[in-house]
Amino acid sequence: MKMENTKHHRLTSFAETASEAPLQEPDRQYYFIEKAKDIFAEKCKEADRTLTFCVTTFGCQMNARDSEKLVGILEQIGYVEEPDEEKADFVIYNTCTVRENANLRVYGRLGQLGRIKKKNPHMMIALCGCMMQEPEVVEKLKKSYRFVDLIFGTHNIYKFAELLTNSMQSDRMVIDIWKDTDKIVEDLPVERKYSFKSGVNIMFGCNNFCSYCIVPYVRGRERSRDPKAIVREIERLVADGVVEVMLLGQNVNSYGKNLEHPMTFAQLLQEIEKIEGLERIRFMTSHPKDLSDELIEVMSRSKKICRHLHLPVQSGSSRILKKMNRHYTKEHYLELVDKIKKAVPDISLTTDIIVGFPGETEEDFRETLDVVRKVRYDSAFTFIYSKRTGTPAAVMEDQVSEAEVKDRFDRLLKEVQTISAQRCAIHEGTIQKALVECQNEHDPSLVTGRLSNNLLVHFPGDPSLIGRLVDVSLDECKGFYYMGKMKDTE
Ligand code: 5AD
Ligand code: SF4
């Protein structure tokens, strides 16, 4: 009888719990956080310890920010963070599907988790993020990974508290995936990884449909957040100790087009610049086709926008760029880069490049190398083309052979690395402001700071400096980072 009593709460059906929930967001989620707290407390009593969680993030900064939202809710419910996922009672994978090997990694690690779950009766596993938006993935999980407790997607992540409550009250796999949404829910709890810097979503989704890319299918249509909500969020972050923000969107340059009162990204930046106490502004990612003169002008005048622009080129061949549906040519891109370098001479430029897009010839590849040599990127992320089912490129003819792709990839990497080491070296002997981010992992007598241009510098200092902007002399270039010394700031 007693047994039944203690279990009573868990056996309350989710339908019953949900019947009293407010319909309005975010109130509805705060209601479920309270419900989840009660269920969690009972689960802890049963287990005779405080249950732990581990959120593992795959992919980009958007996912990293989403994970902070998951952590915020879990901590409100009472879960305690456990960095080792093999020891945690609740493991969440926030997945990425931009390239196929990201998917393969998730399946591999999930197999391992399944074995661990057999030994821990309190363990729960949830999967979310971009990979879950693919119907084949969910089918496979339903068939071969029955031990997963909860699956949700990118559009309903704001409903995490509700979904978790459902899952805790259910013995079955809970699955909730939406195809798309126009909803943006504000003001939910978030737990930042760093106290002094934060990502801030300014828009969600992508409308570009680059022919190789799965993002528009899994993240849905472009939606911009209300500028007032963005400014309010940053003001709160600053009041809470944040000095640097990274504005996040798949294509920040098209921010504001679909707002009730349209505004440009450059205008938004100017509003954010006015926020007192905020020291640094970063943003990512910029699509070259939408980068305006207005933005270049605002960057050149700004005291807070960092001297770093990530401008993915993807390929240097106009023919391939057309097949990629990128809406610019090699010449346009180079002109744009010239314009930016003239207006902001100390800018650091970084990029993404795909090698082995269908139909890419040696000639096309040399155009890419040519762009790399002309732009002289401070750093570049290089990717081997990965075929994503459902994208137009997946059915294009002339997929490039693996051996050719590998050869091109190696040649590109060498070029990129040589140039970025030279670019890094030009700062030797200068004194620059660094935001101290952490204690050095290998040598605790050092701290690591990030420069405006995104380079890292290691220098003697103690952890009390973390979160402060200090002047550092860049004494010795080590290829892609610096060793330095702190200068008196007083
Ligand atoms: N294959 C390889 N790289 C890709 N990217 C996006 N889709 C693919 C794909 N199918 C790369 C692009 C993008 C970055 C985030 O990932 O370079 O800018
Ligand atoms: Fe993908 Fe292109 Fe959108 Fe970037 S801009 S997310 S590469 S479709």
Side-chain angles (χ1 to χ4, degrees):
M1 193 61 200
K2 196 160 179 269
M3 187 75 183
E4 269 176 23
N5 252 345
T6 49
K7 283 207 148 190
H8 172 76
H9 212 113
R10 294 270 301 282
L11 293 178
T12 313
S13 75
F14 176 69
E16 262 172 77
T17 310
S19 65
E20 288 166 28
L23 295 175
Q24 212 52 7
E25 297 292 3
D27 303 355
R28 187 174 170 88
Q29 297 314 311
Y30 282 101
Y31 166 88
F32 280 110
I33 288 174
E34 291 309 311
K35 292 289 162 195
K37 267 186 197 168
D38 296 343
I39 304 171
F40 175 77
E42 271 184 49
K43 276 166 78 83
C44 291
K45 224 194 276 154
E46 266 173 46
D48 202 20
R49 60 192 164 84
T50 305
L51 296 177
T52 59
F53 77 91
C54 176
V55 178
T56 303
T57 311
F58 298 82
C60 66
Q61 310 230 19
M62 290 269 193
N63 267 16
R65 183 65 179 155
D66 281 350
S67 290
E68 292 183 343
K69 296 175 186 171
L70 299 174
V71 173
I73 288 166
L74 287 166
E75 292 195 341
Q76 292 251 318
I77 290 171
Y79 277 98
V80 171
E81 187 154 20
E82 162 58 62
D84 181 352
E85 72 179 35
E86 304 207 343
K87 290 195 191 131
D89 299 297
F90 185 19
V91 177
I92 305 174
Y93 282 174
N94 189 3
T95 63
C96 166
T97 188
V98 93
R99 284 168 292 276
E100 199 192 357
N101 50 12
N103 291 35
L104 299 177
R105 267 177 50 216
V106 166
Y107 289 127
R109 287 176 67 163
L110 203 51
Q112 171 71 6
L113 271 193
R115 285 185 284 281
I116 295 168
K117 192 179 181 201
K118 284 205 183 107
K119 294 187 216 140
N120 179 357
H122 304 288
M123 189 164 176
M124 281 177 71
I125 298 175
L127 298 173
C128 64
C130 295
M131 206 176 139
M132 300 307 123
Q133 293 294 139
E134 292 180 277
E136 316 78 74
V137 169
V138 176
E139 279 314 304
K140 183 166 170 165
L141 292 168
K142 280 204 302 210
K143 229 168 92 197
S144 314
Y145 298 84
R146 294 291 321 160
F147 55 83
V148 172
D149 299 279
L150 169 62
I151 299 176
F152 56 102
T154 54
H155 302 303
N156 54 352
I157 189 165
Y158 75 87
K159 265 181 74 179
F160 178 53
E162 181 171 350
L163 293 164
L164 176 56
T165 310
N166 187 349
S167 182
M168 290 201 287
Q169 291 183 308
S170 163
D171 294 328
R172 305 173 55 182
M173 199 185 227
V174 173
I175 304 178
D176 191 9
I177 312 280
W178 300 358
K179 274 206 163 63
D180 206 346
T181 185
D182 52 10
K183 210 169 169 144
I184 297 179
V185 178
E186 302 281 353
D187 299 328
L188 284 166
V190 190
E191 184 61 36
R192 294 193 310 278
K193 190 168 168 198
Y194 300 96
S195 58
F196 52 89
K197 69 170 185 176
S198 179
V200 174
N201 299 104
I202 62 165
M203 58 198 301
F204 302 93
C206 180
N207 283 354
N208 290 314
F209 291 96
C210 301
S211 64
Y212 51 81
C213 188
I214 201 161
V215 169
Y217 305 90
V218 296
R219 286 266 174 187
R221 295 294 63 72
E222 214 169 87
R223 291 141 358 250
S224 296
R225 277 179 74 192
D226 172 19
K228 287 200 193 73
I230 297 171
V231 169
R232 195 175 60 214
E233 179 179 347
I234 300 176
E235 282 170 349
R236 279 188 199 149
L237 288 169
V238 170
D240 197 31
V242 165
V243 290
E244 178 179 302
V245 289
M246 165 77 90
L247 309 177
L248 298 169
Q250 302 295 345
N251 176 12
V252 291
N253 296 332
S254 72
Y255 172 82
K257 285 187 184 153
N258 54 5
L259 286 171
E260 198 185 325
H261 304 288
M263 84 187 284
T264 63
F265 178 53
Q267 286 167 337
L268 176 71
L269 279 172
Q270 285 167 284
E271 290 306 309
I272 295 174
E273 175 115 18
K274 288 182 204 150
I275 299 174
E276 230 171 281
L278 180 67
E279 306 271 0
R280 279 180 167 183
I281 306 168
R282 299 183 185 278
F283 53 85
M284 111 129 91
T285 286
S286 283
H287 193 306
K289 80 175 164 66
D290 297 311
L291 198 142
S292 65
D293 290 348
E294 186 196 15
L295 176 63
I296 298 176
E297 153 84 23
V298 168
M299 282 185 84
S300 74
R301 274 190 284 118
S302 170
K303 298 240 171 354
K304 296 186 180 175
I305 301 173
C306 288
R307 283 358 207 178
H308 173 216
L309 183 65
H310 186 64
L311 196 61
V313 65
Q314 313 296 4
S315 167
S317 154
S318 298
R319 195 181 74 84
I320 294 293
L321 286 168
K322 193 160 178 46
K323 286 180 72 179
M324 286 178 161
N325 195 32
R326 291 288 291 176
H327 298 280
Y328 55 85
T329 62
K330 176 188 180 187
E331 289 69 32
H332 281 143
Y333 186 89
L334 290 175
E335 275 166 30
L336 184 61
V337 165
D338 273 348
K339 212 158 38 173
I340 296 162
K341 283 184 177 169
K342 272 203 190 90
V344 194
D346 53 349
I347 193 98
S348 153
L349 285 170
T350 59
T351 200
D352 293 342
I353 302 171
I354 298 176
V355 177
F357 184 82
E360 183 191 75
T361 61
E362 174 62 25
E363 197 74 61
D364 295 316
F365 174 67
R366 287 200 187 150
E367 300 275 9
T368 300
L369 282 181
D370 188 47
V371 168
V372 168
R373 288 181 190 128
K374 287 199 164 109
V375 177
R376 298 183 56 74
Y377 293 108
D378 291 78
S379 108
F381 296 98
T382 50
F383 304 107
I384 287 181
Y385 167 72
S386 169
K387 188 167 161 175
R388 307 311 290 126
T389 309
T391 63
V395 292
M396 285 183 189
E397 286 172 5
D398 307 323
Q399 304 274 334
V400 186
S401 81
E402 222 173 281
E404 264 175 307
V405 175
K406 178 87 182 48
D407 171 65
R408 286 177 200 165
F409 184 82
D410 291 346
R411 282 154 65 202
L412 176 66
L413 197 62
K414 223 166 129 195
E415 194 69 43
V416 159
Q417 284 175 342
T418 310
I419 294 172
S420 66
Q422 291 165 356
R423 287 283 307 157
C424 183
I426 62 174
H427 305 285
E428 201 163 281
T430 61
I431 294 176
Q432 298 195 25
K433 282 234 174 317
L435 175 58
V436 184
E437 294 200 338
C438 56
Q439 198 170 18
N440 189 289
E441 268 179 38
H442 307 290
D443 180 348
S445 72
L446 302 176
V447 290
T448 302
R450 190 178 296 273
L451 307 179
S452 171
N453 63 19
N454 217 33
L455 279 176
L456 293 181
V457 55
H458 307 288
F459 56 96
D462 64 84
S464 66
L465 291 170
I466 292 173
R468 274 183 50 197
L469 271 161
V470 295
D471 283 323
V472 180
S473 65
L474 307 181
D475 301 334
E476 197 187 351
C477 177
K478 296 277 193 183
F480 57 95
Y481 64 90
Y482 270 94
M483 299 307 295
K485 266 192 291 309
M486 197 168 114
K487 295 281 143 193
D488 285 339
T489 37
E490 263 71 37

